Amino acid sequence: MKMSKLILGQGLLGREIFNRTNWNYISRKENNIDFTKPETYEYLIDTFDVIVNCIAHTDTYDKDRQKHWDINYKGVIDLVDICNRYDKKLVHISTDYIYTNSREDASEEDVPVHCNNWYGYTKLLGDGYVQAKSNDFLLLRGTHKKEPFTYDKAWLNQVGNFDYVSVISDLIIKLIDMDCSGVFNVGTEKKSMYDLAKKTKSDVKCDVYHPPSVPKNVSMDITKLKGYIDEK
């Protein structure tokens, strides 16, 4: 039986998935929904089998704790509960930032775990709730970038499995279409941000200095992903 799919969000990733699949979508702007108020969207998802959540507060270094908390954690709690109530499968887009290290000598005012920003912390909390409470989920961790690379400089000493949105969305769609479940790291071969930038912007300048808040290493083990994709 073919399952109907709905994309929540029309940001960079949500748009790319829609363009490649023509799945239905709900946009915060077009449909006037508020992810912090489930009553504004709950009635729109009840006819679909699979809910692909691309909604997040992705201003990574925004210091407004409440925005991250409300969307990346509390909003996810509401969505998990709704999907459970109506027997929907949840595909939740997470981030590779949860793999960065905690800050040494952290004080009570620092973000408690992993990367030193509220984005990474609240995304990690959302991950935990999905795994602990969702009855049926696919949780995907990775980073997608605009294509072509949009900045004049790229960091040489930031390393990860990140790739352009066209590549990452293709992997995500394959996992969804294969009806995979559980947690997957989604990315390609390990590379520096500078190496990725050079693929689409030949004149990009190399920059080895970046703000302390930017994680240097967000690399992941993608063996599980490769095993599933190679099987198809």
Side-chain angles (χ1 to χ4, degrees), residues 60-61 95-103 110-124 158 212-218:
T60 312
Y61 305 109
T95 176
D96 54 10
Y97 266 43
I98 69 167
Y99 289 115
T100 56
N101 295 323
S102 301
R103 180 176 180 176
D110 290 318
V111 182
V113 294
H114 295 274
C115 53
N116 186 30
N117 56 67
W118 291 112
Y119 170 72
Y121 178 48
T122 54
K123 290 293 284 185
L124 178 64
Q158 185 182 43
S213 57
V214 176
K216 290 183 179 180
N217 192 326
V218 289

Side-chain angles (χ1 to χ4, degrees), residues 170-183:
D170 184 55
L171 294 172
I172 289 173
I173 292 165
K174 287 179 180 178
L175 291 173
I176 295 172
D177 282 342
M178 293 170 68
D179 197 24
C180 294
S181 297
V183 181

Side-chain angles (χ1 to χ4, degrees), residues 2 15 19 24 29 64 73 76 80 82 102 137 156 175:
K2 187 175 182 180
R15 287 196 307 272
N19 290 336
N24 289 280
K29 290 182 179 179
D64 187 335
Y73 184 41
V76 173
V80 168
I82 290 170
S102 301
F137 71 89
L156 181 64
L175 291 173

Side-chain angles (χ1 to χ4, degrees), residues 92-100 124 127 131 137-144 160-163 167-172 175 180-189 218-229:
H92 181 64
I93 307 300
S94 184
T95 176
D96 54 10
Y97 266 43
I98 69 167
Y99 289 115
T100 56
L124 178 64
D127 274 27
Q131 293 179 75
F137 71 89
L138 173 62
L139 194 155
L140 306 173
R141 295 170 175 163
T143 285
H144 52 277
N161 303 88
F162 32 66
D163 215 313
V167 178
I168 298 300
S169 63
D170 184 55
L171 294 172
I172 289 173
L175 291 173
C180 294
S181 297
V183 181
F184 281 80
N185 294 332
V186 178
T188 53
E189 78 285 350
V218 289
S219 59
M220 309 177 295
D221 184 346
I222 58 172
T223 303
K224 181 179 178 181
L225 170 75
K226 292 168 66 176
Y228 275 73
I229 297 299

Side-chain angles (χ1 to χ4, degrees), residues 49-66:
D49 301 308
V50 180
I51 310 302
V52 184
N53 181 33
C54 297
I55 293 178
H57 182 52
T58 56
D59 187 353
T60 312
Y61 305 109
D62 182 359
K63 296 181 180 180
D64 187 335
R65 173 189 182 277
Q66 200 61 46

